[in-house]
Amino acid sequence: IITVDLAGKQLGEELASTSVLADGQTVYSSQDNLYVGTTEWFDRRELEANEDQTSDARPSVTTRIHKFDISDPNKTLYRASGQVRGTVLNQYSMSEYDGDLRVATTEHGRWSPGGGANSESYVTVLEDRNGAMIEIGRVGNLGKGERIYAVRFLGDLATVVTFRQTDPLYTIDLSDPRSPTVLGELKILGYSAYLHPVTETLLLGIGQDAH
């Protein structure tokens, strides 16, 4: 992460930087913190060498998330790292609220019997604790056999769209970050690829029918 003083006489004459050794695939920023997420794959050769493993023993694809403090306009500081099960869709899959990071992911199940039929999505809450991002809450069993197509966090509420043949829109209560709870779901044909809050009680979904 490089901080550039745009008011300087020459662009880049004074650079402040900090780094971690990782890919940078998905970036999300709040007012004071910037998060970089990267998918951590496992060695497929190792999996093929242990074909007798049960599906429960097989490794899961995870997303590692690195947190940087950007509250000082003159520099960026690395703060903590953590990981969650599955992969994120985009920057809307992450949201900071009251100091915690909420992350929506899909565990695709590509390497287990049945492939994508075993996929499952989660919303996980991470807390920055002594230099590490620790999982303090998680809700799963979202869209079994499907994957996430859209996410939007609205304060202490999360809305998540999964899809394979129909579009379940899940609403998740995050008011207690240690015990996320599914409030309900709405199933319609097709899927929404983008969710946008119109008012505090009205959500717009933009997508397409997909028989």
Side-chain angles (χ1 to χ4, degrees):
I1 309 297
I2 301 174
T3 303
V4 180
D5 182 6
L6 296 179
K9 295 181 180 179
Q10 183 176 348
L11 183 64
E13 63 180 5
E14 292 186 10
L15 298 177
S17 66
T18 187
S19 62
V20 295
L21 185 61
D23 291 331
Q25 295 174 324
T26 305
V27 177
Y28 159 76
S29 181
S30 65
Q31 182 172 342
D32 295 324
N33 296 296
L34 184 144
Y35 299 88
V36 179
T38 182
T39 302
E40 294 216 329
W41 305 98
F42 52 84
D43 191 339
R44 185 175 180 181
R45 293 169 299 180
E46 181 180 346
L47 179 65
E48 292 173 344
N50 296 276
E51 292 181 349
D52 58 337
Q53 289 184 344
T54 64
S55 60
D56 291 338
R58 298 182 182 188
S60 299
V61 175
T62 61
T63 296
R64 183 162 290 275
I65 299 173
H66 308 285
K67 177 182 179 180
F68 298 86
D69 182 348
I70 57 172
S71 59
D72 185 338
N74 298 310
K75 61 182 179 180
T76 299
L77 298 175
Y78 166 76
R79 289 301 187 194
S81 294
Q83 68 179 20
V84 293
R85 298 178 66 172
T87 61
V88 299
L89 175 66
N90 52 33
Q91 72 271 26
Y92 293 111
S93 299
M94 294 186 277
S95 171
E96 184 185 271
Y97 189 74
D98 284 346
D100 297 325
L101 180 70
R102 296 87 58 85
V103 188
T105 58
T106 296
E107 189 173 28
H108 295 276
R110 292 192 182 100
W111 309 112
S112 59
N118 295 318
S119 64
E120 180 180 357
S121 294
Y122 308 88
V123 173
T124 305
V125 183
L126 300 175
E127 178 183 75
D128 185 348
R129 186 186 302 167
N130 299 323
M133 298 185 68
I134 305 298
E135 178 182 318
I136 61 172
R138 181 175 65 188
V139 61
N141 201 30
L142 304 176
K144 279 282 193 178
E146 302 173 340
R147 68 178 178 89
I148 291 176
Y149 271 68
V151 183
R152 199 72 182 215
F153 289 93
L154 310 168
D156 58 9
L157 185 72
T159 55
V160 178
V161 170
T162 63
F163 175 75
R164 187 173 65 179
Q165 291 181 329
T166 58
D167 170 0
L169 169 65
Y170 296 93
T171 54
I172 301 165
D173 181 5
L174 295 166
S175 57
D176 180 358
R178 286 170 170 75
S179 183
T181 304
V182 175
L183 296 177
E185 62 180 275
L186 172 66
K187 290 188 177 182
I188 57 176
L189 294 176
Y191 64 89
S192 296
Y194 177 72
L195 300 173
H196 190 83
V198 178
T199 68
E200 291 185 356
T201 58
L202 186 62
L203 184 69
L204 174 66
I206 299 175
Q208 66 185 53
D209 192 358
H211 294 290

